[in-house]
């Protein structure tokens, strides 16, 4: 029998209310920026700044969690998100691109704290074998964020008068963030048992040389970077270049983000059946299919199928990488390893999203797909490394 801890229930309720800020920026960031600036190549800059903010906030977020506790870190992150939403209200009201870019960066910094909620979930789990199941449940809450974000953007777009709209969208988002903050008042600080058997904390240079750390961080980073690369380019390619409607574009982005989290209903069962190495292999195969579909055409259904499968593949790769990461560190080392993991992961994701706009406007959608192929090759190498590592562990245990 599996009883869901109270902390996980609270995280499940609060996380979508703050996570929906990212889908809003992904959905309208490029579209709104193309109206706020005359330089088309800068249209994806707010999205890139948001992801860069996640990378920049990952180490401070982990350090605040270490010194002040997870609960204090959560409130710090939510406060940053609330500030970002209010700045975005002002930016859209005054039609200031630079101010909107600042808001996007702050959304990223707040998002770094939100991303570390998964570590709070891991720390709230008593049995290590339940970690994939807990992560799957928490990731499932992202389905609500997938629909909340774009719906907030469209529904409240004209609630308040502004030159290009969306002021009301960010005001409504601020209200959602406030609700999430109230929910987390009841969050209980996780108790981490650190025993003398754990030994002294090792230097980070020693930890990152472990094969299991390299496999974990590469799996999540490649999965995130490639997802961000294609996802960031999609709204601009669909709406601005191909002339597909805003409603069709919204549907594709919503479907993609939902596909990132709905598979969490199945991943605990999949992990039990095929183990994490099988989940890594399956996610990699799905990414190859994504590239094939994305290259084959630019009708709405080509985008839809590519983005839906992209979301599913990301789910498998991200869950695999996150589940493997705790195997690389001792309890006393967790904060610095988690911070390093997120800094690398979101740093590469920011670079990928920034490059997406430049590559799209330089060579078009097909060139975006072609330039994603090296990441697929890297993912193939990670699969080989994990198979070798898993075989080595089995030989040692026998």
């Amino acid at each position: 029998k599996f009883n869901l801890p109270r902390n996980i229930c609270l995280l499940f309720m609060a996380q979508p209310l703050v996570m929906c800020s990212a889908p809003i920026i992904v959905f309208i960031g490029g579209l709104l920026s193309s109206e706020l600036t005359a330089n088309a190549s800068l249209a994806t800059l707010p999205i890139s700044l948001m992801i860069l903010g996640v990378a920049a906030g990952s180490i401070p977020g982990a350090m605040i969690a270490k010194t002040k506790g997870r609960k204090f870190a959560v409130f710090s992150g939510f406060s940053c998100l609330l500030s970002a939403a209010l700045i975005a209200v002002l930016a859209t009201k005054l039609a200031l691109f630079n101010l909107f870019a600042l808001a996007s960066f702050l959304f990223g910094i707040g998002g770094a704290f939100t991303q570390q909620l998964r570590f709070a979930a891991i720390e709230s789990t008593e049995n290590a074998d339940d970690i994939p199941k807990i992560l799957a449940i928490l990731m499932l809450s992202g389905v609500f964020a997938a629909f909340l974000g774009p719906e907030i953007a469209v529904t409240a777009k004209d609630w308040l008068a502004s030159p290009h709209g969306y002021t009301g969208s960010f005001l409504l988002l601020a209200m959602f963030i406030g609700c999430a903050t109230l929910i987390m008042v009841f969050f209980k600080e996780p108790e981490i048992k650190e025993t003398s058997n754990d030994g002294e904390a090792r230097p980070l240079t020693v930890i990152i040389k472990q094969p299991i750390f390299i496999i974990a961080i590469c799996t999540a980073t490649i999965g995130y970077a490639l997802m961000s690369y294609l996802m960031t380019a999609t709204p601009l390619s669909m709406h601005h270049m191909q002339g597909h409607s805003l409603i069709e574009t919204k549907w594709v982005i919503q479907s993609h983000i939902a596909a990132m989290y709905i598979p969490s209903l199945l991943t605990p069962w999949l992990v039990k059946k095929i183990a994490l190495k099988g989940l890594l292999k399956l996610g990699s195969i799905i990414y190859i299919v994504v590239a094939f579909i994305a290259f084959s055409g630019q009708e709405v259904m080509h985008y839809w199928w590519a983005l839906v499968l992209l979301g599913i593949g990301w789910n498998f790769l991200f869950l695999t990488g996150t589940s493997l990461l705790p195997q690389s560190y001792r309890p006393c080392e967790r904060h610095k390893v988690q911070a390093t993991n997120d800094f690398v992961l979101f740093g590469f994701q920011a670079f990928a999203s920034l490059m997406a706009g430049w590559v799209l406007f330089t060579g078009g959608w097909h060139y975006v797909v072609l330039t994603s192929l090296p990441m697929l090759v890297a993912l193939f190498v990670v699969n080989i490394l994990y198979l070798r590592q898993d075989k080595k562990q089995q030989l040692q245990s026998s």
Side-chain angles (χ1 to χ4, degrees), residues 143-382:
V143 175
F144 300 102
F147 287 94
L148 272 178
E151 286 302 329
I152 288 172
V154 173
T155 302
K157 177 178 180 289
D158 300 314
W159 281 9
L160 297 174
S162 57
H164 306 291
Y166 301 110
T167 299
S169 305
F170 289 106
L171 184 60
L172 183 57
L173 174 61
M175 296 178 186
F176 274 82
I177 296 169
C179 291
T181 304
L182 291 175
I183 291 172
M184 291 304 290
V185 168
F186 302 99
F187 182 82
K188 184 179 179 182
E189 190 70 33
E191 295 180 5
I192 306 299
K193 297 179 181 178
E194 298 183 14
T195 66
S196 57
N197 294 331
D198 295 328
E200 294 183 1
R202 297 166 295 173
L204 190 59
T205 52
V206 173
I207 298 171
I208 63 176
K209 291 178 182 178
Q210 298 174 101
I212 194 65
F213 175 84
I214 295 171
I215 293 164
I217 199 170
C218 286
T219 298
T221 299
I222 295 170
Y224 237 122
L226 186 52
M227 182 275 292
S228 180
Y229 189 57
L230 295 177
M231 178 188 67
T232 303
T234 295
L236 288 169
S237 178
M238 283 189 69
H239 189 58
H240 272 274
M241 292 185 161
Q242 297 301 314
H244 297 302
S245 72
L246 189 62
I247 298 300
E248 289 171 326
T249 306
K250 182 190 78 167
W251 176 58
V252 169
I253 294 300
Q254 279 182 321
S255 300
H256 163 69
I257 301 175
M260 290 171 64
Y261 300 106
I262 288 178
S264 297
L265 289 168
L266 288 176
T267 42
W269 177 81
L270 279 173
V271 170
K272 188 176 180 180
K273 292 293 182 181
I274 62 177
L276 289 173
K277 63 180 178 181
L279 200 64
L280 170 59
K281 187 185 300 182
L282 186 56
S284 303
I285 293 171
I286 290 173
Y287 265 26
I288 294 172
V289 176
V290 167
F292 177 79
I293 294 174
F295 194 75
S296 63
Q298 290 177 266
E299 298 299 323
V300 173
M301 292 310 297
H302 287 107
Y303 287 108
W304 188 86
W305 275 109
L307 268 290
V308 166
L309 289 174
L310 184 68
I312 296 171
W314 171 86
N315 182 287
F316 293 166
L317 296 175
F318 185 61
L319 189 138
T320 299
T322 305
S323 297
L324 288 174
L325 189 66
Q327 298 180 25
S328 70
Y329 60 78
R330 299 165 182 168
C332 58
E333 301 164 342
R334 67 188 186 280
H335 290 293
K336 64 181 179 183
V337 176
Q338 292 165 1
T340 302
N341 176 78
D342 280 9
F343 180 77
V344 172
L345 193 160
F346 295 111
F348 273 94
Q349 188 193 4
F351 178 74
S353 66
L354 184 60
M355 289 300 295
W358 181 80
V359 173
L360 179 66
F361 285 108
T362 301
W365 176 251
H366 284 165
Y367 195 54
V368 171
V369 180
L370 282 175
T371 50
S372 71
L373 297 183
M375 285 187 271
L376 293 177
V377 174
L379 199 55
F380 176 75
V381 174
V382 172

Side-chain angles (χ1 to χ4, degrees), residues 23-34 43-44 46-47 97 100 104:
I24 289 177
I25 299 298
V26 169
F27 175 48
I28 65 173
L31 303 178
L32 181 58
S33 296
S34 63
T44 60
I47 301 174
F97 175 71
F100 182 64
S104 299

